[in-house]
Structures are given as structure tokens and as C-alpha cells.
Amino acid sequence: MAAGAAGTRAVLALLVLCSMAAGAAGTTGFIKSPLSQKRLTQDSVELYCEAIGNPIPEIQWWFEGNDPNETYAQLWDGARQDRVKINATYNLHSTSTISITNLTDDDSGMYECRASNDPDRNHLSKSPKVKWIRSQANVFVIERPEIGFQVIESSDKLILTCNISAPHPTITGHKWIYKEKILQEDENTGASTSYTIDGKKEEHSGIYECVFEANPQIIGEVNISVSPQVMAYKKSEHGNEGDTGVLTCKNPSFPAVTSWSWHKSGHGLLENASGRYIIKSDGNKTELRILKLDIEQDTGDYFCNGTNSFGSGDAKVNLRVRSRLAALWPFLGIVAEVLVLVTIIFIYEKRRKPDEVPDDDDGGSAPLKSNATNHKDKNVRQRNAN
């Protein structure tokens, strides 16, 4: 951590010194230049440029195609039918990023990052005293090879296969990816790759990517599509009378549900227009809200149904509505048990036979021997004295 902090401080100090030097000379310098890249048609590319100077320089992007008769032309944000996006910031120094989406063969060529802080740099009649400095990068757009795919179901197994058409760049390996997780990878150089899934098709639907490691990287998709495998978040829901009940269903399979509906056993289709039912659906999730729950009217089984281009599926949710007094029942039961216990104790105490009490008369008639003895001794001692 200390070494990293020291390195960061060193870099900052170097940038400050560069800025001071550039400011003293009144010139501009690049601290990051764009890098040449290879891309496939329909891919995207991003180039980055960073310049320093005092005052802070302006950055522009220019392009020259591969046609010998083509000359440099300035690019701006929104060019090429809004496929070009340019973001620039001017704080302590200048940074600019150009990104181009949905590449075509015509996007191949030389991209030039230009920087200048001369006050006359954009004047129409005056030539700038300080020329624009330039940094260049080539972008090579290669025709995307076609990727064929196949899904074979065999005894609770799914075999996914991708084949890449010629011509294609040199392949150095393959990967299989599902939800950004690498399932399998190898270093084979073949134009075909396969991946085996244990289980049924309905349990493993989704978009699987087959990646051919090359320069540039080539990615294909294998879609395992099934009808909706609808599930209820909870198979049984409870609600109190007068409250709002919420029932929810989801579809974890691919592709997403295009339409949802709710039904109640013995009632039929439920709709928002009824006033008591509010249905909110968003892709693979749907929610039914029932306002002011009623014990007699709302208790029962509800069914959520999802449909996509491959079919439909549904799930059941049982709703139980409790009286508002239901929460008091445990307390009332405890009170009743205490009352019964107290009553039993009271009756037992009333019926229990009292203990025998000693007779006070017999005890009071008995003479006190010790006192009598003392009087006798006293009389004897008095006669001997005479």
C-alpha cells in the first residue's frame, strides 16, 4: 500500500512538472495517445487521447480513409448517422474519447487526435502560431465471419455446437460463456467448438456465447428457447381482512414473457378495470394487488399465466384471508388458560381439609412444676434459720 501511494505521488509530481514545462513554453504535449486496433464489422471501437498544456489545450478528432484520394476530415459528435460519440473533459488537462458503433468497412482508416492551445487555432483567416500536435492510430475493420450453431437434445443432454466460416483469423482457443461465467475453455485451433449440458432443455434455457480466441476476438450466440416456465414466489400467501394482498409470479426461462394474465378459480379473468385488482407486469415478472381484502370474496386459488412466442405456462397461488381479530386469538387463548388455572387452584383451596388445632383448656390446667419446687425450697430454708 505504501509503495502504491508513493508511486501515485510520483506520477502526479511528474504531471505537474510536465504541466509547468508546457506552460512555460506555451506548447502542448500528449500524455496518452490512441492505440491501433482490429475490429469486426458490427462491433464497436473506442480511442482515447489525453493532452496537457497551459492554457489547457483543445482536442479534435480527424479521420482519413483507405481510399488514396481521401483526405483528412474532422469528426464531430453525432457524425456517421449518430454512430460517432465524442466525450471530452477540460479540467487540469484535456481528455477525449471517441467511440464508433456498428462498424463497417468504411470505418477502416487512420484516426488522428489533434491538440492545440494557440488562441488562433480555429481562426478562419489567421494561421496559428503554434501548430496542432498530432497522434495517430489505425483502425482495421475486418469482415465478420458467419458462425453457424446447432443444439442437439439426447437422453437428458444438450449438445451445443458452433462452427465458424472461412476466411477467419488464426484461432488460438475457445470459450463457452453463460451469464458472464466461463463454463469451458480450451486452446484448440479448430473452426468448431462444442459444449455439453446435463439436464433438460427447460432447465437450461438462455443465451450461450461461443468465443473463438483470435485477433480480433469472434463471438457467436446459441439461444436455447423454451415456453415460459412460470413459478410463484410463494405458493401460499396470507393477508388480513381490509389490507392489500400481493401475489407475485416470475419466469426464469428464456425468452422473456410477452404477455401476462391473472385468473381466479371460480371467478375468471382478473383485470385492472375492476377497481379492486391492480396488475403490474414487467418482462419476466408479474404482480397482482388486491385492495381491501374480503374473507368471503378473495380467499381461494389464483393462477398467473405467461406467454411468449414458444408457448405459455402458468402457476397457482393460494390466498388465505384472516380476520383482523386473528392476531388476538393467541393472546385470548393465554388469558383463558390463566383463568382456568386460577379457578382450579381456588376450588382446590376451598375443598382442602383444615389442619387440627391443639386444645387450649387442657394445656392451661397443668401445674408449673418448676415454680412449685422453688417455693418448697424457699420454705425449707426459712425454717432452718429459726
Side-chain angles (χ1 to χ4, degrees):
M1 293 294 291
T8 302
R9 288 194 294 270
V11 172
L12 291 175
L14 180 61
L15 289 176
V16 171
L17 291 174
C18 290
S19 177
M20 293 174 63
T27 58
T28 300
F30 287 113
I31 54 177
K32 278 194 178 179
S33 299
L35 301 176
S36 297
Q37 301 179 44
K38 288 182 181 180
R39 288 291 184 269
L40 298 173
T41 53
Q42 304 173 17
D43 279 351
S44 300
V45 68
E46 185 174 274
L47 302 173
Y48 183 79
C49 187
E50 194 168 341
I52 196 168
N54 187 12
I56 296 174
E58 176 191 359
I59 293 179
Q60 295 180 356
W61 289 95
W62 292 69
F63 170 76
E64 183 182 43
N66 293 328
D67 190 335
N69 298 323
E70 191 171 352
T71 59
Y72 275 100
Q74 186 178 355
L75 295 173
W76 66 93
D77 188 51
R80 299 180 185 174
Q81 298 180 342
D82 207 31
R83 293 189 298 112
V84 174
K85 298 293 181 185
I86 298 177
N87 293 316
T89 59
Y90 300 95
N91 195 357
L92 297 177
H93 54 277
S94 306
T95 61
S96 183
T97 302
I98 182 172
S99 58
I100 307 170
T101 59
N102 197 21
L103 291 171
T104 67
D105 293 335
D106 295 335
D107 295 319
S108 292
M110 181 75 71
Y111 290 80
E112 192 172 84
C113 173
R114 298 182 181 182
S116 176
N117 59 1
D118 192 296
D120 297 328
R121 60 186 178 273
N122 292 317
H123 202 283
L124 297 178
S125 58
K126 294 182 180 180
S127 297
K129 299 181 182 65
V130 180
K131 298 294 184 182
W132 290 82
I133 61 171
R134 307 178 182 190
S135 182
Q136 298 174 334
N138 274 307
V139 173
F140 303 94
V141 181
I142 304 171
E143 189 68 28
R144 175 181 291 275
E146 293 185 3
I147 298 179
F149 66 89
Q150 188 178 26
V151 179
I152 300 175
E153 295 184 64
S154 175
S155 62
D156 289 340
K157 289 182 181 293
L158 295 172
I159 302 175
L160 315 184
T161 304
C162 284
N163 297 283
I164 188 171
S165 62
H168 56 73
T170 302
I171 298 171
T172 59
H174 310 92
K175 286 181 183 177
W176 282 90
I177 300 175
Y178 178 66
K179 293 182 178 180
E180 300 183 354
K181 179 182 178 181
I182 298 177
L183 304 175
Q184 174 181 293
E185 55 185 331
D186 60 51
E187 296 181 355
N188 298 331
T189 59
S192 177
T193 179
S194 297
Y195 176 68
T196 301
I197 302 173
D198 292 325
K200 296 181 179 179
K201 186 177 183 180
E202 289 75 15
E203 300 171 350
H204 300 279
S205 63
I207 300 175
Y208 293 77
E209 292 181 334
C210 54
V211 180
F212 293 86
E213 297 291 0
N215 186 20
Q217 193 180 66
I218 304 169
I219 302 176
E221 291 184 352
V222 181
N223 296 341
I224 300 180
S225 304
V226 297
S227 59
Q229 309 298 300
V230 179
M231 300 170 56
Y233 272 108
K234 292 183 179 179
K235 294 183 179 180
S236 180
E237 291 281 2
H238 302 270
N240 294 323
E241 186 178 21
D243 290 346
T244 298
V246 181
L247 312 180
T248 307
C249 289
K250 63 179 180 178
N251 170 47
S253 59
F254 177 85
V257 170
T258 54
S259 65
W260 287 98
S261 63
W262 283 87
H263 300 77
K264 184 178 184 298
S265 180
H267 185 281
L269 182 66
L270 305 178
E271 297 178 327
N272 285 334
S274 64
R276 294 189 62 245
Y277 303 108
I278 300 176
I279 299 174
K280 293 183 179 180
S281 301
D282 181 17
N284 279 332
K285 181 179 177 181
T286 182
E287 181 182 271
L288 171 65
R289 289 180 175 268
I290 307 172
L291 306 179
K292 297 181 180 179
L293 288 173
D294 181 86
I295 294 178
E296 299 296 333
Q297 184 178 353
D298 297 322
T299 300
D301 293 330
Y302 291 79
F303 298 88
C304 53
N305 180 275
T307 303
N308 63 16
S309 57
F310 291 87
S312 62
D314 55 29
K316 183 177 74 171
V317 185
N318 178 261
L319 175 62
R320 298 178 181 179
V321 182
R322 299 172 295 192
S323 171
R324 281 192 174 277
L325 298 177
L328 296 176
W329 291 344
F331 174 74
L332 295 177
I334 294 173
V335 172
E337 290 179 359
V338 171
L339 291 176
V340 171
L341 182 60
V342 170
T343 303
I344 292 174
I345 294 173
F346 179 77
I347 295 174
Y348 172 77
E349 289 294 336
K350 292 291 290 182
R351 292 185 177 183
R352 186 167 66 91
K353 183 178 180 181
D355 295 335
E356 292 184 357
V357 179
D359 191 352
D360 293 339
D361 295 338
D362 296 339
S365 60
L368 295 177
K369 296 181 178 180
S370 59
N371 291 338
T373 305
N374 291 337
H375 287 297
K376 182 178 181 181
D377 293 339
K378 184 178 180 180
N379 294 333
V380 170
R381 284 194 297 269
Q382 290 177 352
R383 283 196 296 270
N384 289 337
N386 293 328

